[in-house]
Amino acid sequence: MSTRTWENLTIPAPGTYNLDAAHTTIGFVTKHMMVSKVRGTFGEFSGSVTIAENPLESAAELTIQTASINTGVADRDGHLRSDDFLATEKFPQITFRSTRVVHQSDDEFTVVGDLTIRDVTQPVELKVEYGGAGTNPWGQAVWGFSITTEIDREAFGLTWNQALETGGVLVGKKVKIEIEGEANPAA
């Protein structure tokens, strides 16, 4: 892999890198009944990062297939695919397009961009931890990252909820998004 040094980091050479679906997980966490957390993932997605000569001018995009949501419970997944939540038949994709990259410190960056869910676009800030670059045992270039952010699902039109007799609501308003991944040079 062609790498270079920037701000004491070994980073990939300029170019376009695709997410490696076999080594990337797109997950989320939200409160359930105000007492516990429910976790889930999206199994079908594609994305790329174009590393610029100046890394702060790089760009990223991600497309997630909403019907690929999986929380491990078929009935819950069906409800999340319904019009109460993702409305996967009407809105088959969630998209993200970066607009700006800011170097915070060491291996930490903020990637600002537009997240679209149910045709509602809101700006979000992703906290990105760069994991490093290398070559896997088969000679393929790879670099890794960890991403977190938190969104208010109601800002995207995901407003369904149910009041609880004990107070509070069935589904939390805040959703934490967690992405662990790797990218490889585009063919």
Side-chain angles (χ1 to χ4, degrees), residues 29-32 34 150-156 158-161 169-176:
V29 182
T30 193
K31 284 275 198 171
H32 180 251
M34 311 303 291
E150 186 173 89
I151 62 169
D152 175 346
R153 67 182 178 87
E154 293 180 354
F156 294 92
L158 301 167
T159 57
W160 183 92
N161 222 330
V169 290
L170 187 63
V171 182
K173 189 172 146 169
K174 299 290 183 187
V175 178
K176 184 174 183 181

Side-chain angles (χ1 to χ4, degrees), residues 135-159:
T135 303
N136 71 20
W138 301 274
Q140 185 178 41
V142 60
W143 59 272
F145 53 86
S146 298
I147 300 171
T148 58
T149 194
E150 186 173 89
I151 62 169
D152 175 346
R153 67 182 178 87
E154 293 180 354
F156 294 92
L158 301 167
T159 57

Side-chain angles (χ1 to χ4, degrees), residues 9 32 34 42 48 63 68 84 93 99 123 128-131 136 153 155 162 168 175 182:
L9 291 174
H32 180 251
M34 311 303 291
F42 289 95
S48 66
T63 300
S68 72
D84 285 345
Q93 297 177 334
T99 56
V128 179
E129 182 182 338
Y130 172 67
N136 71 20
R153 67 182 178 87
Q162 186 173 336
V175 178
E182 294 180 6

Side-chain angles (χ1 to χ4, degrees), residues 61-136:
E61 60 181 45
L62 174 66
T63 300
I64 299 169
Q65 302 305 317
T66 56
S68 72
I69 194 167
N70 180 4
T71 64
V73 177
D75 287 347
R76 179 172 49 219
D77 295 346
H79 191 202
L80 291 171
R81 289 183 189 106
S82 78
D83 288 349
D84 285 345
F85 288 97
L86 293 172
T88 61
E89 289 188 19
K90 293 179 202 155
F91 308 106
Q93 297 177 334
I94 294 171
T95 61
F96 173 81
R97 304 264 183 273
S98 67
T99 56
R100 186 165 46 104
V101 178
V102 179
H103 184 221
Q104 298 298 338
S105 64
D106 300 323
D107 60 356
E108 294 181 2
F109 295 81
T110 298
V111 176
V112 179
D114 295 323
L115 179 64
T116 302
I117 303 173
R118 290 180 59 121
D119 278 353
V120 176
T121 301
Q122 297 285 334
V124 296
E125 288 189 4
L126 308 179
K127 180 181 175 186
V128 179
E129 182 182 338
Y130 172 67
T135 303
N136 71 20

Side-chain angles (χ1 to χ4, degrees), residues 1-3 11-13 15-25 45-51 59-62 128-136 139-147 179-187:
M1 172 179 213
S2 179
T3 59
I11 65 169
T16 299
Y17 299 82
N18 292 331
L19 294 186
D20 179 348
H23 297 100
T24 300
T25 302
F45 54 86
S46 62
S48 66
V49 177
T50 300
I51 305 285
E61 60 181 45
L62 174 66
V128 179
E129 182 182 338
Y130 172 67
T135 303
N136 71 20
Q140 185 178 41
V142 60
W143 59 272
F145 53 86
S146 298
I147 300 171
I179 303 173
E180 295 290 332
E182 294 180 6
N184 310 110

